[in-house]
Amino acid sequence: MQVLQWIVNLGASVFLPILLFLFGLALRIKPGKAFKSALTIGIGFIGLNLVINLLTTSLGPATKSMISNYGLHLSSIDVGWPAASAIAYGTALGAMAIPVGVGTNIILLILGLTKTLDVDIWNYWHVAFAGSILYTLTGNMWLGLATMVVVTMFTYFFADLSAPTVGKYYGLEGISFPHGLSAPGYVFALPFNWLFDRIPGINKIHLDAETIQKRLGVFGDTTVIGAIIGLIIGFLAQQPLNKVLNLAVSMAAVMMLMPRMVSLLMEGLTPISEGANDMIKKHFPGRKLYIGMDSALAIGQGSVLSSALLLVPITLLLAIVLPGNKVLPFGDLATIPFFIALFAAVFKGDIFRTVIAGTVDIAISLYVASWAAPLITKLAKAASFNMGGNNSISALSDGGLWTNFIYLMMGEKFQWLGVGVLFIVALGLLFWLNKVRDKQENVAA
């Protein structure tokens, strides 16, 4: 446990490159090439974290000003995913998520029940989060571990299901996103897409980043859009002019720098992805596998970023007007691109559809995060997490995730029966997707 915790504490930007370097060597990639590839991925993650930190530190003061100016009284502060991941891995059960996740992945690959070879080890914190909360609630370690297995299985189902769309829209062939926050968004967006296609007038609207830029000229450029949204947020927060202008430039910087950091990740990933594909063709002829990676590869896309920035003020407005909401959005405002990364893929980059569906998703997340606040607060205390003087904390990301609501409700109310039912459902979905549907598609071909 201590060794695992030490590895986790290195952070994704360190231990993921180490893991990918070793993976590259196992794929018979030349050591120098594998090292440069892994190091580039680490640099990309550091750059991405710097940009996200810029977004967080820029939005933070504006958010606090809005709270003060409009007299908001919301009892739980959204501490964001960095704090949530630290809490998840900081519990007695948290670090076990990594061996549980890796073991489940290997078993499912051997059985042919998933196509995702998950190298995104850091993001097993999403698995740790749900399992640790249930363990804290029930005191049953084995039930917590079983929940981790179930969460992992559903995550691979979402990843396998969405991988063809991810590959086609983002140009990431052979990649899937077994990301606990982003992957369920694919299933959430599908019924909205079906509905939008059948509403007269709405089905004719298509506003992607390229279309907006073509119609509006310089004012349609994603960087300029970022600056405009920064100005609007700054004025709503009633900040001094110098701070408003700084926020506008910071938002523009995020829009410009985020895609460039993502391109570094993709540059580093390409040799490893190609090596994995060569190995699969050689040793598993006729079998298709996806390399499971962080959905950070998608958040630099123009439609994702534009929609995310539009959703920031919408999220704050929802927190104010929704009756019964107790969560003040803060830490996870910068995480909104991860919420909608797969929305944009389903909607083919349509910003209008992404913002509408994203608004509904965030409204649900606020209610789920309000429900989960006592559980997350209890988990934080169990992990000896410093809550910064707050009596109640939550996280809009995993704390507000609709799938976590299902996992925890089933586990808390019905315990082994509930987790058992979820296991059977996950197993059935994986079998249908990777056995039955593939067989049907092969016959059709």
Side-chain angles (χ1 to χ4, degrees), residues 328-403:
L328 173 65
F330 182 68
D332 271 328
L333 288 174
T335 312
I336 291 177
F338 290 89
F339 278 77
I340 61 172
L342 294 188
F343 284 38
V346 172
F347 301 137
K348 297 181 175 62
D350 192 314
I351 294 173
F352 175 79
R353 295 188 178 196
T354 303
V355 170
I356 297 299
T359 299
V360 177
D361 183 42
I362 288 171
I364 293 171
S365 297
L366 284 166
Y367 280 123
V368 175
S370 296
W371 169 82
L375 310 182
I376 296 171
T377 302
K378 186 176 181 179
L379 181 65
K381 291 177 180 177
S384 301
F385 180 78
N386 182 4
M387 297 198 297
N390 295 294
N391 294 322
S392 178
I393 63 171
S394 191
L396 194 58
S397 52
D398 274 46
L401 196 59
W402 61 272
T403 47

Side-chain angles (χ1 to χ4, degrees), residues 130-351:
S132 294
I133 285 182
L134 198 58
Y135 172 49
T136 303
L137 281 173
T138 64
N140 189 326
M141 180 187 70
W142 297 109
L143 189 64
L145 290 171
T147 301
M148 290 182 181
V149 172
V150 167
V151 174
T152 305
M153 292 171 70
F154 272 106
T155 302
Y156 291 141
F157 168 72
F158 295 138
D160 288 349
L161 185 67
S162 60
T165 305
V166 166
K168 185 176 181 180
Y169 180 70
Y170 290 114
L172 296 170
E173 292 297 332
I175 301 295
S176 69
F177 291 152
H179 188 279
L181 174 59
S182 299
Y186 180 80
V187 174
F188 189 89
L190 288 176
F192 281 92
N193 202 43
W194 180 90
L195 182 63
F196 290 142
D197 284 341
R198 284 157 180 80
I199 300 176
I202 298 294
N203 56 12
K204 302 297 183 184
I205 298 174
H206 184 75
L207 296 175
D208 58 21
E210 292 76 18
T211 302
I212 292 174
Q213 184 168 354
K214 184 178 180 181
R215 292 183 180 179
L216 299 180
V218 67
F219 292 103
D221 183 88
T222 53
T223 307
V224 177
I225 290 173
I228 293 170
I229 293 173
L231 286 171
I232 293 170
I233 294 173
F235 283 125
L236 287 174
Q238 298 177 22
Q239 291 184 319
L241 182 60
N242 66 320
K243 291 188 177 181
V244 172
L245 294 175
N246 269 283
L247 180 59
V249 175
S250 295
M251 295 300 98
V254 168
M255 296 293 280
M256 179 173 283
L257 294 174
M258 188 83 80
R260 302 194 180 183
M261 295 305 103
V262 171
S263 69
L264 275 178
L265 286 171
M266 294 175 67
E267 179 185 331
L269 182 64
T270 298
I272 292 175
S273 181
E274 290 174 348
N277 286 330
D278 291 341
M279 183 203 71
I280 291 163
K281 289 176 182 177
K282 181 178 179 181
H283 297 287
F284 302 96
R287 185 172 179 186
K288 186 174 184 178
L289 291 182
Y290 303 116
I291 305 300
M293 284 295 295
D294 195 312
S295 57
L297 290 171
I299 66 172
Q301 200 269 345
S303 293
V304 175
L305 277 178
S306 298
S307 300
L309 284 186
L310 288 169
L311 283 166
V312 169
I314 291 173
T315 300
L316 293 169
L317 179 63
L318 287 172
I320 297 168
V321 302
L322 285 177
N325 171 56
K326 299 176 182 177
V327 174
L328 173 65
F330 182 68
D332 271 328
L333 288 174
T335 312
I336 291 177
F338 290 89
F339 278 77
I340 61 172
L342 294 188
F343 284 38
V346 172
F347 301 137
K348 297 181 175 62
D350 192 314
I351 294 173

Side-chain angles (χ1 to χ4, degrees), residues 26 50 115 120 154 269 273 375 409 443:
L50 287 172
K115 295 185 181 72
D120 185 23
F154 272 106
L269 182 64
S273 181
L375 310 182
M409 282 291 289
V443 170

